[in-house]
Amino acid sequence: MNDSENETIKDALKKAIIDTYSIIKGNTEILKIKKYAQGYLVLVLRQGESGGIAIYYVEEKEGRNFIANGVAGGDAAMSMGFGVNRLVLGNDTIFFCNLNDSTWIPENDTRKETNYARIVFDFDDGNTIEEKVENDKGYILIYNGVVNVKDMKLYNADNELVNVYKDVGATKEVDYRLLNSQ
């Protein structure tokens, strides 16, 4: 997909989410889009009073007309520069969050650029998956099976370890709400 087509889809997905869930257009940023089932998972950051991170499931009806069919809210990344939200849909586990451009260094109470390039997920079933996130503002990882994160390591473009899972403390379990059919 070229950049122009990608922007067209991004705009159409954003419009479907805004129209369906009545959120404020100017305060909504799409961070990541990933194909899932017959539609897309769309990671959105909402600023302001009703702000937060959410993942929407959006299906294409016909010719770039989309409808948002469900949403799960999660915790946005805080001082460590990343977070972990876990959503189980059927037999799939979906992990998602935004990625900040800096992380807090508690030893000297300063901030350091993250420049995340990849994330390595270790799961409680013994499997490991690597996700490239260079220049991304967030991540969506879809795992076929129901698992929990055992460990997670975030690396920069120089292959330096920037953060690890224990830095955020825990995974937030999120609930998925389906849109009532109209």
Side-chain angles (χ1 to χ4, degrees):
M1 201 177 327
N2 64 38
D3 287 343
S4 176
E5 187 178 355
N6 192 28
E7 281 304 310
T8 300
I9 289 174
K10 190 175 181 179
D11 290 344
L13 291 170
K14 186 173 181 179
K15 181 182 180 330
I17 292 166
I18 289 168
D19 290 351
T20 305
Y21 289 96
S22 301
I23 56 180
I24 301 167
K25 184 177 184 174
N27 292 339
T28 304
E29 180 181 8
I30 291 180
L31 304 178
K32 185 84 174 174
I33 300 167
K34 192 167 254 191
K35 188 84 172 121
Y36 180 71
Q38 276 61 56
Y40 298 91
L41 291 173
V42 183
L43 183 62
V44 173
L45 180 64
R46 296 179 322 269
Q47 304 289 342
E49 190 175 310
S50 64
I53 193 94
I55 193 163
Y56 294 85
Y57 178 66
V58 183
E59 289 183 316
E60 187 169 3
K61 290 176 79 171
E62 56 186 56
R64 298 291 185 239
N65 289 317
F66 296 92
I67 183 162
N69 283 329
V71 61
D75 288 341
M78 300 297 266
S79 59
M80 298 317 296
F82 75 104
V84 183
N85 296 290
R86 177 180 177 266
L87 168 65
V88 176
L89 284 177
N91 192 44
D92 294 328
T93 308
I94 300 163
F95 297 93
F96 64 95
C97 199
N98 61 310
L99 296 170
N100 293 342
D101 57 6
S102 67
T103 186
W104 175 53
I105 309 300
E107 292 79 28
N108 55 14
D109 196 25
T110 59
R111 298 212 55 88
K112 175 184 173 185
E113 284 188 27
T114 53
N115 298 318
Y116 294 129
R118 67 185 176 99
I119 304 173
V120 178
F121 294 85
D122 292 323
F123 299 106
D124 59 0
D125 68 354
N127 287 317
T128 298
I129 294 179
E130 182 176 316
E131 183 85 356
K132 292 186 186 296
V133 293
E134 192 165 16
N135 299 319
D136 289 348
K137 294 181 178 183
Y139 70 89
I140 301 170
L141 178 85
I142 302 165
Y143 188 92
N144 185 253
V146 178
V147 293
N148 291 299
V149 173
K150 182 178 173 185
D151 199 6
M152 180 176 162
K153 297 176 185 84
L154 294 94
Y155 295 88
N156 64 19
D158 295 326
N159 204 33
E160 298 169 329
L161 182 63
V162 179
N163 287 103
V164 294
Y165 179 66
K166 67 179 171 81
D167 291 339
V168 296
T171 300
K172 165 122 187 225
E173 298 291 323
V174 298
D175 293 321
Y176 183 75
R177 293 184 309 276
L178 261 170
L179 180 67
N180 293 331
S181 296
Q182 300 162 353

